[in-house]
Amino acid sequence: MPVISPSAFAPPAANGPGATPPLLLREQVRRLERAHSAERPGRTAAPLGLPEIDRLLPDGGLLTGALHEIEAGPAPSGRVAPHDGAALGFTAFLLSRLGPGTLLWCRQPSGADAPLYAPTIAAWFDPARLLMVTARREDDLFWAMEEGLRTPGIAAVVGETRGADPTAGRRLSLAAEKNGVPALLLRPQPAPPQSVCATRWRVASAPSSDLTQARWQVELRRNRFGMPSAEESPSWLLEWNDETCRLAVVSQAQHGSAGAPQRQRLVG
């Protein structure tokens, strides 16, 4: 009787000739996802007007028929400040890059951020476009978001939430894709990620010597259909100028030092 060694069923060694390097495997998966995304009818992208970021995003911008996550990152002091406003401001910036129509914003009475302030929002878009919905339960919040994605005339749907419901995330992703309307989940702090989201951003305030020029450190934690980059989690330092009403990438933005350990994107 022939003898079969247990090693015959073992996977190939990491350095063996048949092994696929993790980076190469991730790139192959990304190419398949990008090709699949391009075949979906009605899917478009809205450029952010920031070439350094747009070049990494699919089709040069934020996918409209998709789910996106924005979470608050640690402040310069190292702690996550729910009322910091950086993540909220970045969300308003993303909304300003989308087409015309009503912007549905869903939140709970105990939302992490203070209620939206119209004079501040006016820097990004007309507050008259905003339709606020307050939901007592998180299930009601997700239901309102899903219904909004199906409603004609809605340009985007935003939901402030603390939890991560995989089932709700999949339903929001499918509704966004079917109707070509972007869904944004705004989180006050890092939470279990939704693996179905197209992008995931972490936004925190950064020090600035000029009070009229707010700065945000923006990290792209997930870029499902986009291009890979030198780092798994590319980061940019963005600066808002009140005089020009423009957001720009600061030239000395830190993309990670050569000696620092490489950070890994949360893939969900």
Side-chain angles (χ1 to χ4, degrees), residues 7-98:
S7 61
F9 299 96
N15 296 325
T20 302
L23 290 178
L24 178 59
L25 180 60
R26 280 198 291 267
E27 169 60 9
Q28 292 175 345
V29 172
R30 285 165 176 156
R31 288 179 179 176
L32 292 174
E33 288 183 326
R34 289 197 299 271
H36 180 55
S37 175
E39 293 174 357
R40 297 177 181 178
R43 170 161 280 184
T44 60
L48 302 185
L50 302 170
E52 297 89 342
I53 301 179
D54 284 336
R55 66 181 178 84
L56 296 182
L57 298 177
D59 297 329
L62 194 75
L63 288 179
T64 54
L67 174 67
H68 306 275
E69 292 186 9
I70 304 98
E71 62 183 25
S77 63
R79 59 183 289 269
V80 176
H83 295 280
D84 184 70
L88 188 149
F90 184 73
T91 303
F93 162 70
L94 295 181
L95 293 177
S96 71
R97 305 302 302 181
L98 302 174

Side-chain angles (χ1 to χ4, degrees), residues 109-243:
S110 58
D113 291 296
L116 300 180
Y117 186 51
T120 302
I121 293 298
W124 306 105
F125 55 81
D126 185 359
R129 298 177 56 195
L130 198 61
L131 176 61
M132 299 292 297
V133 172
T134 301
R136 296 180 62 87
R137 301 183 310 164
E138 191 170 76
D139 290 345
D140 296 332
L141 183 143
F142 288 130
W143 176 86
M145 291 184 66
E146 191 173 345
E147 290 299 310
L149 292 170
R150 299 193 183 101
T151 303
I154 297 293
V157 175
V158 181
E160 294 183 50
T161 178
R162 290 180 177 273
D165 186 337
T167 300
R170 286 192 292 269
R171 291 179 64 93
L172 290 174
S173 178
L174 290 173
E177 179 183 333
K178 181 178 180 180
N179 299 280
V181 178
L184 310 180
L185 283 178
L186 176 60
R187 303 185 185 279
Q189 57 190 3
Q194 298 283 356
S195 60
V196 295
C197 68
T199 63
R200 183 181 304 116
W201 310 79
R202 180 172 294 180
V203 188
S205 292
S208 177
S209 58
D210 191 340
L211 296 179
T212 64
Q213 297 180 343
R215 286 186 173 183
W216 305 332
Q217 192 70 43
V218 177
E219 185 179 2
L220 183 55
R221 304 282 291 175
R222 176 177 171 85
N223 189 18
R224 183 179 180 188
F225 300 113
M227 294 291 292
S229 60
E231 290 191 23
E232 282 301 292
S233 295
S235 179
W236 301 271
L237 185 62
L238 304 185
E239 183 177 79
W240 170 257
N241 191 307
D242 280 340
E243 295 182 358

